[in-house]
Structures are given as C-alpha cells and as structure tokens.
Amino acid sequence: EEQEEDTLRELRLFLRNVTERLSQDKRFKAFTKPVDIEEVPDYIKVIRHPMDLSTILSKVDLHKYVTVREFVNDVDLIWKNALEYNPDSDPSDRQIRHRACALKDTTHAIIRDELDEDFNRICEQIREAR
Ligand SMILES: COC(=O)N1C[C@@H]2C[C@@H]3O[C@]2(Cc2nccnc23)C1
C-alpha cells in the first residue's frame, strides 16, 4: 500500500546516498565501473557474477532492492570478486585486495552507524510479504 511505497522511496534515498559516497572515495575507483572485458578478456571466465557501484546505482533506480540486505549482498559481490580475481603477491594485486577489504569495512560501518533497526525491519517485512 502507500505506506510501503513511502518506505521504499526512503530506502532508495539512503541507498543512493551510500552508493554515491562510496563512488566518490578515491580508494574505490576500480570498483566504480564494470571491469572492461575487452581489456581483461578472461575476467568473465573467472568471475561469474561481476558487480560494480554504477550497476548498483542503476539497480537502486530500477527498484531492484527492497531491503538493505539485498544491497549489501551486491556490494559484497564487488569486494569478493576482487579478492578472487586478484590473489597474487604482486603489489597491484595486494593494493586492490586492500581496497576491496576497505570497501567491505566502510560499507558495513555505514550500515551499522546509519541504518535504523526499526526501518530495516519494516523493509524486511515488505520483502517477506511479496
Ligand atoms: C575490480 O577490478 C579488478 O578486479 N580488476 C582486475 C583487472 C586486472 C587489472 O586490473 C583490473 C583492470 C585491468 N585492466 C587492464 C589490465 N589489467 C587490469 C581491475
């Protein structure tokens, strides 16, 4: 009903704000756009479910997320993919893994500090009812 649409509109505002803050963080530049398959042809062979912050922002606007949990699942894809595709000891792999871990920690800290528990429960109840 109307109250549910008001809740989901507020969810989208929150998720857009978090996504834009992550996208503006210089550490996370590699995570802002899809990995270029022409530059990195084997990427899609190794990583079955690519994800990036621009795709997440598009999904927010397409009303794909009804809960913060679904949003965090996509952010978790970003950093887990980076750890999986960049496992070596060379400095470039170590740098992107460090940034992947920072993306994980930053996202989870924002959610912990800024998501109201009661608001989250209402979103989860809307998801269960659909
Ligand atoms: C989230 O980003 C990544 O997992 N990667 C892995 C790719 C390997 C390396 O860095 C990436 C892009 C790239 N392009 C050209 C040549 N080499 C690279 C970014």
Side-chain angles (χ1 to χ4, degrees), residues 10-27:
E10 182 170 354
L11 174 67
R12 291 192 296 274
L13 287 170
F14 174 69
L15 296 181
R16 275 189 208 98
N17 174 264
V18 175
T19 306
E20 281 156 9
R21 287 154 63 186
L22 296 172
S23 301
Q24 287 156 6
D25 189 315
K26 289 186 294 185
R27 295 174 296 173

Side-chain angles (χ1 to χ4, degrees), residues 30-31 33 35-36 39-40 43 51 78 81-82 85-86 96:
F31 308 126
K33 296 288 183 199
V35 172
D36 188 329
E39 280 184 30
V40 193
Y43 188 79
M51 189 48 63
I78 295 175
N81 289 343
Y85 188 79
N86 306 282
I96 196 163

Side-chain angles (χ1 to χ4, degrees), residues 63-125:
H63 298 198
K64 297 290 188 180
Y65 303 121
V66 172
T67 64
V68 172
R69 181 163 46 88
E70 294 159 348
F71 168 86
V72 170
N73 286 345
D74 275 349
V75 175
D76 287 353
L77 262 183
I78 295 175
W79 60 262
K80 288 177 180 177
N81 289 343
L83 297 184
E84 182 180 347
Y85 188 79
N86 306 282
D88 301 338
S89 70
D90 61 84
S92 66
D93 279 32
R94 287 191 165 152
Q95 182 182 59
I96 196 163
R97 290 205 303 274
H98 191 266
R99 289 167 169 170
C101 295
L103 176 68
K104 170 193 174 191
D105 295 344
T106 303
T107 302
H108 288 259
I110 290 173
I111 301 304
R112 183 199 62 224
D113 296 347
E114 301 179 27
L115 174 62
D116 178 86
E117 286 177 21
D118 293 333
F119 179 82
N120 186 56
R121 251 190 294 278
I122 294 168
C123 294
E124 290 286 353
Q125 283 160 358

Side-chain angles (χ1 to χ4, degrees), residues 45-62:
K45 309 297 295 171
V46 176
I47 299 300
R48 290 299 148 142
H49 302 288
M51 189 48 63
D52 69 280
L53 292 169
S54 71
T55 299
I56 286 177
L57 190 60
S58 299
K59 287 182 72 171
V60 172
D61 292 339
L62 289 166

